[in-house]
Structure formats: structure tokens, C-alpha cells
Amino acid sequence: DCTIRWGLYESAKRFVGWPISPGFDIAGTVESVGETHGNDGSDDGERRSEFKVGDKVFGCTLFGAYSNRVLVPKIQLRKIPRS
């Protein structure tokens, strides 16, 4: 994160642009769940999310984790165990 703030992370400047919100690790509460479509073996081709509004999750993102809210693919998230 320090390298990003100093402006020395070349791929951050090239692929994300400037200014950039650093941060890779995220944790929080799911506020909304979007629709996904694909071939996962279900009859209608629609994939159901294992996440629902209110779930506690952690994960990673390609920059932006310092933000108040992030939008990430579900493959980058895991549920936080209840205990």
C-alpha cells in the first residue's frame, strides 16, 4: 500500500489510473447481491449466489479496499465463520 501511495507501483498507474484508492484486503457485510449467469450445471443456466444480504465476508480486491464500499466478484470473497 505504501508503494501505491508513493506512486511507485507501475501496474497500478497503468491499469487503474491516478488517483487510486489503495488496499487489497477487505472485510465487511454484504449490502447487495447481483445476478450472475453461466453454465454451472443448473437447468436454467442461472447460478445462485452462496452470499446473501447481511452475510459477514472477507476477501481481496485489486485496489480500492480503503473505500467505504467495494464491488467484487463473488470468487474473491469468503464467508466469515460465525464462531
Short mmCIF file of all heavy atoms in Angstrom, two decimals, residues 5-78:
data_model
loop_
_atom_site.label_atom_id
_atom_site.label_comp_id
_atom_site.label_asym_id
_atom_site.label_seq_id
_atom_site.Cartn_x
_atom_site.Cartn_y
_atom_site.Cartn_z
N ARG A 5 0.78 4.46 -2.62
CA ARG A 5 0.62 5.87 -2.20
C ARG A 5 1.79 6.72 -2.68
O ARG A 5 1.61 7.90 -2.97
CB ARG A 5 0.47 5.95 -0.68
CG ARG A 5 -0.87 5.46 -0.20
CD ARG A 5 -1.11 5.82 1.24
NE ARG A 5 -0.14 5.23 2.13
CZ ARG A 5 -0.39 4.17 2.91
NH1 ARG A 5 -1.58 3.61 2.89
NH2 ARG A 5 0.54 3.68 3.70
N TRP A 6 2.99 6.15 -2.74
CA TRP A 6 4.15 6.90 -3.22
C TRP A 6 4.13 7.06 -4.73
O TRP A 6 4.93 7.80 -5.29
CB TRP A 6 5.44 6.19 -2.82
CG TRP A 6 5.74 6.20 -1.36
CD1 TRP A 6 5.29 7.08 -0.43
CD2 TRP A 6 6.55 5.26 -0.67
NE1 TRP A 6 5.77 6.74 0.81
CE2 TRP A 6 6.56 5.64 0.70
CE3 TRP A 6 7.29 4.14 -1.05
CZ2 TRP A 6 7.26 4.93 1.66
CZ3 TRP A 6 7.99 3.45 -0.09
CH2 TRP A 6 7.97 3.84 1.24
N GLY A 7 3.23 6.33 -5.43
CA GLY A 7 3.17 6.42 -6.88
C GLY A 7 4.19 5.56 -7.59
O GLY A 7 4.49 5.77 -8.76
N LEU A 8 4.74 4.56 -6.89
CA LEU A 8 5.81 3.73 -7.45
C LEU A 8 5.33 2.38 -7.97
O LEU A 8 6.12 1.62 -8.52
CB LEU A 8 6.90 3.50 -6.39
CG LEU A 8 7.55 4.76 -5.85
CD1 LEU A 8 8.53 4.42 -4.74
CD2 LEU A 8 8.24 5.53 -6.97
N TYR A 9 4.06 2.06 -7.81
CA TYR A 9 3.53 0.77 -8.26
C TYR A 9 3.08 0.95 -9.71
O TYR A 9 2.00 1.43 -10.00
CB TYR A 9 2.35 0.39 -7.37
CG TYR A 9 1.95 -1.07 -7.41
CD1 TYR A 9 1.51 -1.71 -6.28
CD2 TYR A 9 1.97 -1.81 -8.60
CE1 TYR A 9 1.10 -3.03 -6.30
CE2 TYR A 9 1.57 -3.12 -8.63
CZ TYR A 9 1.14 -3.72 -7.47
OH TYR A 9 0.74 -5.03 -7.51
N GLU A 10 3.95 0.57 -10.64
CA GLU A 10 3.74 0.85 -12.06
C GLU A 10 2.44 0.28 -12.60
O GLU A 10 1.71 0.94 -13.34
CB GLU A 10 4.91 0.33 -12.89
CG GLU A 10 4.85 0.72 -14.34
CD GLU A 10 4.87 2.23 -14.56
OE1 GLU A 10 5.53 2.94 -13.81
OE2 GLU A 10 4.17 2.69 -15.49
N SER A 11 2.10 -0.96 -12.25
CA SER A 11 0.87 -1.54 -12.80
C SER A 11 -0.37 -0.82 -12.26
O SER A 11 -1.38 -0.75 -12.94
CB SER A 11 0.79 -3.04 -12.51
OG SER A 11 0.65 -3.28 -11.13
N ALA A 12 -0.30 -0.28 -11.06
CA ALA A 12 -1.43 0.48 -10.53
C ALA A 12 -1.67 1.71 -11.39
O ALA A 12 -2.81 2.02 -11.74
CB ALA A 12 -1.17 0.89 -9.09
N LYS A 13 -0.62 2.41 -11.73
CA LYS A 13 -0.77 3.60 -12.57
C LYS A 13 -1.25 3.24 -13.96
O LYS A 13 -2.09 3.92 -14.55
CB LYS A 13 0.56 4.36 -12.66
CG LYS A 13 0.94 5.03 -11.35
CD LYS A 13 2.09 6.00 -11.51
CE LYS A 13 3.38 5.31 -11.78
NZ LYS A 13 4.54 6.19 -11.76
N ARG A 14 -0.75 2.15 -14.51
CA ARG A 14 -1.07 1.77 -15.88
C ARG A 14 -2.48 1.21 -16.02
O ARG A 14 -3.22 1.55 -16.93
CB ARG A 14 -0.06 0.73 -16.39
CG ARG A 14 -0.25 0.39 -17.86
CD ARG A 14 0.80 -0.56 -18.44
NE ARG A 14 2.06 -0.58 -17.75
CZ ARG A 14 2.61 -1.68 -17.23
NH1 ARG A 14 2.01 -2.84 -17.35
NH2 ARG A 14 3.77 -1.64 -16.60
N PHE A 15 -2.90 0.32 -15.10
CA PHE A 15 -4.17 -0.39 -15.25
C PHE A 15 -5.34 0.27 -14.53
O PHE A 15 -6.48 0.05 -14.88
CB PHE A 15 -4.04 -1.84 -14.81
CG PHE A 15 -3.07 -2.62 -15.65
CD1 PHE A 15 -1.90 -3.11 -15.11
CD2 PHE A 15 -3.31 -2.83 -17.00
CE1 PHE A 15 -1.00 -3.83 -15.89
CE2 PHE A 15 -2.42 -3.54 -17.78
CZ PHE A 15 -1.26 -4.03 -17.23
N VAL A 16 -5.09 1.02 -13.49
CA VAL A 16 -6.16 1.61 -12.70
C VAL A 16 -6.23 3.12 -12.92
O VAL A 16 -7.30 3.69 -12.99
CB VAL A 16 -5.98 1.30 -11.20
CG1 VAL A 16 -7.09 1.93 -10.38
CG2 VAL A 16 -5.94 -0.20 -10.97
N GLY A 17 -5.10 3.75 -13.06
CA GLY A 17 -5.07 5.19 -13.24
C GLY A 17 -4.77 5.92 -11.95
O GLY A 17 -4.47 5.32 -10.93
N TRP A 18 -4.81 7.21 -12.01
CA TRP A 18 -4.47 8.03 -10.86
C TRP A 18 -5.52 9.11 -10.72
O TRP A 18 -5.95 9.64 -11.74
CB TRP A 18 -3.08 8.65 -11.09
CG TRP A 18 -2.39 8.98 -9.81
CD1 TRP A 18 -2.32 10.21 -9.24
CD2 TRP A 18 -1.71 8.10 -8.94
NE1 TRP A 18 -1.63 10.15 -8.07
CE2 TRP A 18 -1.23 8.84 -7.86
CE3 TRP A 18 -1.46 6.72 -8.96
CZ2 TRP A 18 -0.53 8.29 -6.83
CZ3 TRP A 18 -0.75 6.17 -7.93
CH2 TRP A 18 -0.29 6.95 -6.87
N PRO A 19 -6.03 9.49 -9.62
CA PRO A 19 -5.68 8.97 -8.30
C PRO A 19 -6.24 7.57 -8.07
O PRO A 19 -7.17 7.16 -8.75
CB PRO A 19 -6.34 9.97 -7.35
CG PRO A 19 -7.50 10.51 -8.11
CD PRO A 19 -7.07 10.51 -9.56
N ILE A 20 -5.68 6.88 -7.12
CA ILE A 20 -6.07 5.50 -6.85
C ILE A 20 -6.32 5.33 -5.36
O ILE A 20 -5.66 5.96 -4.54
CB ILE A 20 -4.99 4.52 -7.34
CG1 ILE A 20 -5.45 3.08 -7.21
CG2 ILE A 20 -3.69 4.73 -6.62
CD1 ILE A 20 -4.51 2.07 -7.82
N SER A 21 -7.27 4.49 -5.01
CA SER A 21 -7.50 4.12 -3.62
C SER A 21 -6.80 2.79 -3.38
O SER A 21 -7.16 1.78 -3.98
CB SER A 21 -9.00 3.98 -3.37
OG SER A 21 -9.23 3.56 -2.06
N PRO A 22 -5.76 2.79 -2.54
CA PRO A 22 -5.03 1.54 -2.32
C PRO A 22 -5.83 0.55 -1.47
O PRO A 22 -6.95 0.82 -1.06
CB PRO A 22 -3.76 2.00 -1.58
CG PRO A 22 -4.07 3.33 -1.03
CD PRO A 22 -5.20 3.91 -1.82
N GLY A 23 -5.21 -0.57 -1.19
CA GLY A 23 -5.81 -1.59 -0.35
C GLY A 23 -6.20 -2.83 -1.13
O GLY A 23 -6.77 -2.73 -2.21
N PHE A 24 -5.86 -3.97 -0.57
CA PHE A 24 -6.15 -5.26 -1.20
C PHE A 24 -7.08 -6.12 -0.36
O PHE A 24 -7.87 -6.88 -0.89
CB PHE A 24 -4.87 -6.03 -1.47
CG PHE A 24 -3.93 -5.35 -2.42
CD1 PHE A 24 -2.83 -4.66 -1.96
CD2 PHE A 24 -4.18 -5.37 -3.79
CE1 PHE A 24 -1.97 -4.03 -2.84
CE2 PHE A 24 -3.33 -4.74 -4.68
CZ PHE A 24 -2.23 -4.06 -4.20
N ASP A 25 -6.98 -6.05 0.97
CA ASP A 25 -7.76 -6.90 1.86
C ASP A 25 -9.05 -6.21 2.25
O ASP A 25 -9.05 -5.03 2.60
CB ASP A 25 -6.97 -7.20 3.13
CG ASP A 25 -5.61 -7.81 2.83
OD1 ASP A 25 -5.53 -8.60 1.89
OD2 ASP A 25 -4.64 -7.47 3.53
N ILE A 26 -10.15 -6.95 2.21
CA ILE A 26 -11.45 -6.38 2.57
C ILE A 26 -12.17 -7.29 3.56
O ILE A 26 -11.95 -8.50 3.59
CB ILE A 26 -12.35 -6.16 1.33
CG1 ILE A 26 -12.54 -7.46 0.55
CG2 ILE A 26 -11.79 -5.06 0.45
CD1 ILE A 26 -13.48 -7.35 -0.63
N ALA A 27 -13.01 -6.69 4.36
CA ALA A 27 -13.90 -7.43 5.27
C ALA A 27 -15.10 -6.54 5.54
O ALA A 27 -14.96 -5.32 5.64
CB ALA A 27 -13.19 -7.79 6.56
N GLY A 28 -16.27 -7.14 5.64
CA GLY A 28 -17.45 -6.34 5.91
C GLY A 28 -18.72 -7.14 5.77
O GLY A 28 -18.71 -8.37 5.86
N THR A 29 -19.80 -6.42 5.52
CA THR A 29 -21.14 -7.00 5.44
C THR A 29 -21.68 -6.83 4.02
O THR A 29 -21.59 -5.74 3.45
CB THR A 29 -22.08 -6.30 6.43
OG1 THR A 29 -21.50 -6.38 7.74
CG2 THR A 29 -23.45 -6.95 6.45
N VAL A 30 -22.24 -7.89 3.47
CA VAL A 30 -22.83 -7.84 2.12
C VAL A 30 -24.05 -6.91 2.15
O VAL A 30 -24.95 -7.09 2.96
CB VAL A 30 -23.24 -9.25 1.64
CG1 VAL A 30 -23.98 -9.17 0.32
CG2 VAL A 30 -22.03 -10.15 1.55
N GLU A 31 -24.03 -5.90 1.28
CA GLU A 31 -25.16 -4.96 1.18
C GLU A 31 -26.11 -5.32 0.05
O GLU A 31 -27.29 -5.02 0.12
CB GLU A 31 -24.65 -3.54 0.98
CG GLU A 31 -24.00 -2.96 2.20
CD GLU A 31 -23.68 -1.49 2.03
OE1 GLU A 31 -23.86 -0.95 0.92
OE2 GLU A 31 -23.23 -0.88 3.00
N SER A 32 -25.59 -5.92 -1.01
CA SER A 32 -26.45 -6.36 -2.10
C SER A 32 -25.75 -7.48 -2.86
O SER A 32 -24.54 -7.61 -2.80
CB SER A 32 -26.79 -5.21 -3.05
OG SER A 32 -25.64 -4.75 -3.70
N VAL A 33 -26.55 -8.28 -3.54
CA VAL A 33 -26.05 -9.41 -4.32
C VAL A 33 -26.58 -9.27 -5.73
O VAL A 33 -27.79 -9.17 -5.93
CB VAL A 33 -26.49 -10.76 -3.71
CG1 VAL A 33 -26.00 -11.92 -4.57
CG2 VAL A 33 -26.01 -10.89 -2.28
N GLY A 34 -25.68 -9.24 -6.70
CA GLY A 34 -26.09 -9.11 -8.09
C GLY A 34 -26.41 -10.45 -8.71
O GLY A 34 -26.22 -11.51 -8.10
N GLU A 35 -26.92 -10.39 -9.92
CA GLU A 35 -27.23 -11.61 -10.66
C GLU A 35 -26.00 -12.07 -11.43
O GLU A 35 -25.21 -11.26 -11.89
CB GLU A 35 -28.36 -11.36 -11.66
CG GLU A 35 -29.68 -11.07 -11.01
CD GLU A 35 -30.77 -10.88 -12.04
OE1 GLU A 35 -30.62 -11.36 -13.17
OE2 GLU A 35 -31.76 -10.23 -11.70
N THR A 36 -25.84 -13.38 -11.55
CA THR A 36 -24.79 -13.96 -12.37
C THR A 36 -25.41 -14.99 -13.29
O THR A 36 -26.41 -15.62 -12.94
CB THR A 36 -23.69 -14.62 -11.53
OG1 THR A 36 -24.29 -15.64 -10.74
CG2 THR A 36 -22.99 -13.62 -10.63
N HIS A 37 -24.86 -15.15 -14.45
CA HIS A 37 -25.35 -16.13 -15.41
C HIS A 37 -24.17 -16.94 -15.92
O HIS A 37 -23.09 -16.42 -16.12
CB HIS A 37 -26.06 -15.45 -16.57
CG HIS A 37 -27.27 -14.70 -16.14
ND1 HIS A 37 -28.48 -15.30 -15.93
CD2 HIS A 37 -27.44 -13.39 -15.83
CE1 HIS A 37 -29.35 -14.40 -15.53
NE2 HIS A 37 -28.74 -13.23 -15.45
N GLY A 38 -24.40 -18.20 -16.14
CA GLY A 38 -23.34 -19.04 -16.66
C GLY A 38 -23.75 -20.48 -16.69
O GLY A 38 -24.86 -20.84 -16.31
N ASN A 39 -22.87 -21.33 -17.12
CA ASN A 39 -23.16 -22.74 -17.22
C ASN A 39 -22.54 -23.46 -16.04
O ASN A 39 -21.37 -23.80 -16.04
CB ASN A 39 -22.59 -23.29 -18.54
CG ASN A 39 -22.96 -24.73 -18.75
OD1 ASN A 39 -23.73 -25.29 -17.98
ND2 ASN A 39 -22.42 -25.33 -19.76
N ASP A 40 -23.33 -23.66 -15.00
CA ASP A 40 -22.83 -24.36 -13.82
C ASP A 40 -23.56 -25.68 -13.59
O ASP A 40 -23.50 -26.26 -12.54
CB ASP A 40 -22.95 -23.47 -12.59
CG ASP A 40 -24.40 -23.22 -12.18
OD1 ASP A 40 -25.29 -23.55 -12.98
OD2 ASP A 40 -24.61 -22.70 -11.08
N GLY A 41 -24.28 -26.13 -14.60
CA GLY A 41 -24.99 -27.39 -14.47
C GLY A 41 -26.44 -27.25 -14.09
O GLY A 41 -27.18 -28.23 -14.08
N SER A 42 -26.88 -26.03 -13.75
CA SER A 42 -28.29 -25.86 -13.40
C SER A 42 -29.12 -25.87 -14.67
O SER A 42 -28.65 -25.54 -15.74
CB SER A 42 -28.50 -24.55 -12.62
OG SER A 42 -28.09 -23.45 -13.39
N ASP A 43 -30.39 -26.23 -14.53
CA ASP A 43 -31.26 -26.37 -15.70
C ASP A 43 -31.46 -25.07 -16.46
O ASP A 43 -31.51 -25.04 -17.67
CB ASP A 43 -32.63 -26.93 -15.28
CG ASP A 43 -32.53 -28.38 -14.85
OD1 ASP A 43 -31.56 -29.04 -15.26
OD2 ASP A 43 -33.41 -28.82 -14.11
N ASP A 44 -31.61 -23.96 -15.71
CA ASP A 44 -31.92 -22.70 -16.38
C ASP A 44 -30.68 -21.87 -16.72
O ASP A 44 -30.79 -20.79 -17.26
CB ASP A 44 -32.89 -21.86 -15.55
CG ASP A 44 -32.35 -21.51 -14.17
OD1 ASP A 44 -31.18 -21.85 -13.88
OD2 ASP A 44 -33.09 -20.90 -13.39
N GLY A 45 -29.49 -22.35 -16.38
CA GLY A 45 -28.25 -21.64 -16.70
C GLY A 45 -27.94 -20.52 -15.75
O GLY A 45 -26.93 -19.86 -15.88
N GLU A 46 -28.81 -20.28 -14.77
CA GLU A 46 -28.56 -19.19 -13.81
C GLU A 46 -27.87 -19.75 -12.58
O GLU A 46 -28.27 -20.77 -12.04
CB GLU A 46 -29.87 -18.53 -13.42
CG GLU A 46 -29.67 -17.30 -12.57
CD GLU A 46 -30.97 -16.58 -12.29
OE1 GLU A 46 -31.83 -16.56 -13.18
OE2 GLU A 46 -31.10 -16.05 -11.19
N ARG A 47 -26.83 -19.07 -12.14
CA ARG A 47 -26.09 -19.51 -10.96
C ARG A 47 -26.57 -18.76 -9.74
O ARG A 47 -26.71 -17.56 -9.75
CB ARG A 47 -24.59 -19.26 -11.17
CG ARG A 47 -24.05 -20.15 -12.25
CD ARG A 47 -22.66 -19.87 -12.69
NE ARG A 47 -21.86 -19.04 -11.84
CZ ARG A 47 -20.74 -18.49 -12.23
NH1 ARG A 47 -20.31 -18.64 -13.44
NH2 ARG A 47 -20.03 -17.74 -11.41
N ARG A 48 -26.85 -19.48 -8.68
CA ARG A 48 -27.30 -18.88 -7.43
C ARG A 48 -26.07 -18.51 -6.60
O ARG A 48 -25.12 -19.28 -6.52
CB ARG A 48 -28.17 -19.85 -6.64
CG ARG A 48 -29.33 -20.39 -7.42
CD ARG A 48 -30.41 -19.34 -7.61
NE ARG A 48 -31.58 -19.91 -8.24
CZ ARG A 48 -32.03 -19.53 -9.41
NH1 ARG A 48 -31.43 -18.59 -10.08
NH2 ARG A 48 -33.10 -20.08 -9.93
N SER A 49 -26.12 -17.37 -5.95
CA SER A 49 -25.02 -16.94 -5.10
C SER A 49 -25.12 -17.63 -3.75
O SER A 49 -26.20 -17.83 -3.21
CB SER A 49 -25.05 -15.43 -4.92
OG SER A 49 -24.02 -15.04 -4.03
N GLU A 50 -23.97 -17.96 -3.19
CA GLU A 50 -23.96 -18.52 -1.84
C GLU A 50 -24.00 -17.40 -0.80
O GLU A 50 -24.09 -17.65 0.39
CB GLU A 50 -22.72 -19.39 -1.62
CG GLU A 50 -21.40 -18.64 -1.73
CD GLU A 50 -20.81 -18.66 -3.12
OE1 GLU A 50 -21.55 -18.71 -4.11
OE2 GLU A 50 -19.57 -18.64 -3.22
N PHE A 51 -23.96 -16.14 -1.24
CA PHE A 51 -24.00 -14.99 -0.35
C PHE A 51 -25.39 -14.36 -0.35
O PHE A 51 -26.09 -14.39 -1.35
CB PHE A 51 -22.97 -13.94 -0.78
CG PHE A 51 -21.58 -14.46 -0.78
CD1 PHE A 51 -20.91 -14.67 -1.97
CD2 PHE A 51 -20.92 -14.74 0.40
CE1 PHE A 51 -19.61 -15.16 -1.98
CE2 PHE A 51 -19.62 -15.23 0.40
CZ PHE A 51 -18.97 -15.44 -0.79
N LYS A 52 -25.74 -13.77 0.80
CA LYS A 52 -26.99 -13.03 0.89
C LYS A 52 -26.74 -11.75 1.68
O LYS A 52 -25.73 -11.64 2.40
CB LYS A 52 -28.09 -13.87 1.52
CG LYS A 52 -27.84 -14.29 2.95
CD LYS A 52 -28.95 -15.19 3.44
CE LYS A 52 -28.78 -15.61 4.87
NZ LYS A 52 -27.52 -16.24 5.20
N VAL A 53 -27.64 -10.80 1.54
CA VAL A 53 -27.51 -9.53 2.24
C VAL A 53 -27.40 -9.80 3.74
O VAL A 53 -28.15 -10.62 4.29
CB VAL A 53 -28.72 -8.62 1.94
CG1 VAL A 53 -28.70 -7.38 2.81
CG2 VAL A 53 -28.73 -8.25 0.46
N GLY A 54 -26.43 -9.17 4.37
CA GLY A 54 -26.21 -9.34 5.80
C GLY A 54 -25.08 -10.29 6.15
O GLY A 54 -24.61 -10.30 7.29
N ASP A 55 -24.64 -11.13 5.20
CA ASP A 55 -23.53 -12.04 5.47
C ASP A 55 -22.26 -11.26 5.77
O ASP A 55 -21.97 -10.24 5.14
CB ASP A 55 -23.24 -12.93 4.24
CG ASP A 55 -24.24 -14.05 4.08
OD1 ASP A 55 -25.01 -14.32 5.01
OD2 ASP A 55 -24.24 -14.67 2.99
N LYS A 56 -21.49 -11.75 6.74
CA LYS A 56 -20.17 -11.20 7.04
C LYS A 56 -19.16 -11.91 6.15
O LYS A 56 -19.15 -13.14 6.10
CB LYS A 56 -19.80 -11.41 8.51
CG LYS A 56 -20.80 -10.84 9.50
CD LYS A 56 -20.81 -9.35 9.46
CE LYS A 56 -21.72 -8.81 10.55
NZ LYS A 56 -21.98 -7.40 10.42
N VAL A 57 -18.33 -11.13 5.44
CA VAL A 57 -17.39 -11.72 4.49
C VAL A 57 -16.01 -11.06 4.60
O VAL A 57 -15.87 -9.98 5.17
CB VAL A 57 -17.90 -11.55 3.04
CG1 VAL A 57 -19.17 -12.34 2.81
CG2 VAL A 57 -18.11 -10.10 2.68
N PHE A 58 -15.01 -11.76 4.05
CA PHE A 58 -13.67 -11.20 3.89
C PHE A 58 -13.18 -11.61 2.51
O PHE A 58 -13.73 -12.52 1.89
CB PHE A 58 -12.71 -11.68 4.98
CG PHE A 58 -12.34 -13.14 4.86
CD1 PHE A 58 -11.16 -13.53 4.25
CD2 PHE A 58 -13.18 -14.12 5.37
CE1 PHE A 58 -10.82 -14.86 4.15
CE2 PHE A 58 -12.85 -15.47 5.27
CZ PHE A 58 -11.66 -15.84 4.66
N GLY A 59 -12.17 -10.94 2.02
CA GLY A 59 -11.65 -11.28 0.70
C GLY A 59 -10.58 -10.32 0.25
O GLY A 59 -9.93 -9.65 1.06
N CYS A 60 -10.40 -10.27 -1.04
CA CYS A 60 -9.37 -9.41 -1.61
C CYS A 60 -9.92 -8.75 -2.88
O CYS A 60 -10.87 -9.23 -3.49
CB CYS A 60 -8.11 -10.18 -1.92
SG CYS A 60 -8.34 -11.49 -3.13
N THR A 61 -9.30 -7.65 -3.23
CA THR A 61 -9.68 -6.91 -4.41
C THR A 61 -8.43 -6.33 -5.05
O THR A 61 -7.38 -6.26 -4.41
CB THR A 61 -10.68 -5.79 -4.07
OG1 THR A 61 -11.09 -5.15 -5.27
CG2 THR A 61 -10.10 -4.77 -3.13
N LEU A 62 -8.52 -5.95 -6.28
CA LEU A 62 -7.40 -5.32 -6.97
C LEU A 62 -7.53 -3.82 -6.75
O LEU A 62 -8.18 -3.13 -7.53
CB LEU A 62 -7.42 -5.67 -8.46
CG LEU A 62 -6.27 -5.13 -9.28
CD1 LEU A 62 -4.94 -5.67 -8.76
CD2 LEU A 62 -6.43 -5.49 -10.75
N PHE A 63 -6.97 -3.35 -5.63
CA PHE A 63 -7.02 -1.94 -5.22
C PHE A 63 -8.42 -1.58 -4.73
O PHE A 63 -9.36 -2.33 -4.89
CB PHE A 63 -6.58 -1.00 -6.35
CG PHE A 63 -5.27 -1.38 -6.96
CD1 PHE A 63 -5.20 -1.78 -8.28
CD2 PHE A 63 -4.10 -1.35 -6.22
CE1 PHE A 63 -4.00 -2.14 -8.85
CE2 PHE A 63 -2.89 -1.71 -6.78
CZ PHE A 63 -2.84 -2.11 -8.10
N GLY A 64 -8.54 -0.45 -4.08
CA GLY A 64 -9.84 0.08 -3.66
C GLY A 64 -10.34 -0.35 -2.30
O GLY A 64 -11.41 0.05 -1.89
N ALA A 65 -9.59 -1.18 -1.56
CA ALA A 65 -10.09 -1.67 -0.28
C ALA A 65 -10.16 -0.59 0.79
O ALA A 65 -10.82 -0.77 1.80
CB ALA A 65 -9.23 -2.83 0.22
N TYR A 66 -9.52 0.55 0.58
CA TYR A 66 -9.63 1.65 1.55
C TYR A 66 -10.98 2.36 1.40
O TYR A 66 -11.32 3.20 2.21
CB TYR A 66 -8.52 2.67 1.33
CG TYR A 66 -7.14 2.27 1.83
CD1 TYR A 66 -6.81 0.96 2.10
CD2 TYR A 66 -6.16 3.23 2.00
CE1 TYR A 66 -5.55 0.61 2.53
CE2 TYR A 66 -4.90 2.89 2.43
CZ TYR A 66 -4.59 1.58 2.71
OH TYR A 66 -3.34 1.25 3.13
N SER A 67 -11.73 2.05 0.39
CA SER A 67 -13.03 2.68 0.15
C SER A 67 -14.06 2.22 1.18
O SER A 67 -13.90 1.17 1.81
CB SER A 67 -13.54 2.32 -1.25
OG SER A 67 -12.62 2.70 -2.23
N ASN A 68 -15.12 3.00 1.32
CA ASN A 68 -16.21 2.60 2.22
C ASN A 68 -16.99 1.42 1.68
O ASN A 68 -17.53 0.62 2.44
CB ASN A 68 -17.17 3.77 2.44
CG ASN A 68 -16.55 4.87 3.26
OD1 ASN A 68 -15.71 4.61 4.11
ND2 ASN A 68 -16.96 6.09 3.00
N ARG A 69 -17.10 1.34 0.35
CA ARG A 69 -17.81 0.23 -0.30
C ARG A 69 -17.01 -0.24 -1.49
O ARG A 69 -16.38 0.55 -2.17
CB ARG A 69 -19.19 0.69 -0.78
CG ARG A 69 -20.15 0.95 0.34
CD ARG A 69 -21.50 1.40 -0.18
NE ARG A 69 -22.46 1.50 0.88
CZ ARG A 69 -22.64 2.58 1.62
NH1 ARG A 69 -21.91 3.65 1.40
NH2 ARG A 69 -23.54 2.58 2.56
N VAL A 70 -17.05 -1.55 -1.75
CA VAL A 70 -16.39 -2.12 -2.92
C VAL A 70 -17.34 -3.08 -3.62
O VAL A 70 -18.24 -3.64 -3.02
CB VAL A 70 -15.07 -2.85 -2.56
CG1 VAL A 70 -14.03 -1.88 -2.05
CG2 VAL A 70 -15.30 -3.96 -1.56
N LEU A 71 -17.10 -3.26 -4.90
CA LEU A 71 -17.85 -4.20 -5.72
C LEU A 71 -16.85 -5.23 -6.22
O LEU A 71 -15.92 -4.87 -6.93
CB LEU A 71 -18.51 -3.47 -6.88
CG LEU A 71 -19.27 -4.32 -7.89
CD1 LEU A 71 -20.48 -4.97 -7.22
CD2 LEU A 71 -19.70 -3.46 -9.06
N VAL A 72 -17.02 -6.47 -5.81
CA VAL A 72 -16.08 -7.52 -6.19
C VAL A 72 -16.82 -8.76 -6.65
O VAL A 72 -17.93 -9.04 -6.20
CB VAL A 72 -15.12 -7.90 -5.03
CG1 VAL A 72 -14.23 -6.75 -4.65
CG2 VAL A 72 -15.86 -8.40 -3.83
N PRO A 73 -16.19 -9.55 -7.53
CA PRO A 73 -16.78 -10.83 -7.92
C PRO A 73 -16.83 -11.77 -6.71
O PRO A 73 -15.95 -11.74 -5.85
CB PRO A 73 -15.82 -11.37 -8.98
CG PRO A 73 -15.03 -10.19 -9.45
CD PRO A 73 -14.96 -9.26 -8.29
N LYS A 74 -17.85 -12.61 -6.67
CA LYS A 74 -18.00 -13.50 -5.51
C LYS A 74 -16.85 -14.48 -5.35
O LYS A 74 -16.59 -14.93 -4.23
CB LYS A 74 -19.33 -14.25 -5.59
CG LYS A 74 -19.42 -15.25 -6.71
CD LYS A 74 -20.78 -15.93 -6.69
CE LYS A 74 -20.86 -16.99 -7.75
NZ LYS A 74 -22.15 -17.68 -7.70
N ILE A 75 -16.12 -14.75 -6.41
CA ILE A 75 -14.99 -15.67 -6.30
C ILE A 75 -13.89 -15.12 -5.40
O ILE A 75 -13.08 -15.86 -4.87
CB ILE A 75 -14.43 -16.04 -7.70
CG1 ILE A 75 -13.46 -17.18 -7.59
CG2 ILE A 75 -13.74 -14.86 -8.34
CD1 ILE A 75 -13.71 -18.28 -8.53
N GLN A 76 -13.91 -13.82 -5.18
CA GLN A 76 -12.89 -13.16 -4.36
C GLN A 76 -13.31 -13.02 -2.90
O GLN A 76 -12.63 -12.41 -2.10
CB GLN A 76 -12.57 -11.78 -4.93
CG GLN A 76 -11.88 -11.85 -6.27
CD GLN A 76 -11.73 -10.50 -6.94
OE1 GLN A 76 -11.85 -10.41 -8.13
NE2 GLN A 76 -11.48 -9.46 -6.19
N LEU A 77 -14.46 -13.61 -2.52
CA LEU A 77 -14.98 -13.50 -1.16
C LEU A 77 -15.13 -14.86 -0.50
O LEU A 77 -15.33 -15.87 -1.16
CB LEU A 77 -16.36 -12.83 -1.18
CG LEU A 77 -16.44 -11.39 -1.65
CD1 LEU A 77 -17.88 -10.95 -1.72
CD2 LEU A 77 -15.63 -10.49 -0.74
N ARG A 78 -15.06 -14.83 0.81
CA ARG A 78 -15.33 -16.00 1.64
C ARG A 78 -16.16 -15.54 2.83
O ARG A 78 -15.98 -14.43 3.33
CB ARG A 78 -14.04 -16.65 2.17
CG ARG A 78 -13.11 -17.17 1.08
CD ARG A 78 -13.73 -18.38 0.38
NE ARG A 78 -12.87 -18.90 -0.66
CZ ARG A 78 -12.93 -18.59 -1.93
NH1 ARG A 78 -13.82 -17.72 -2.37
NH2 ARG A 78 -12.13 -19.13 -2.83
#
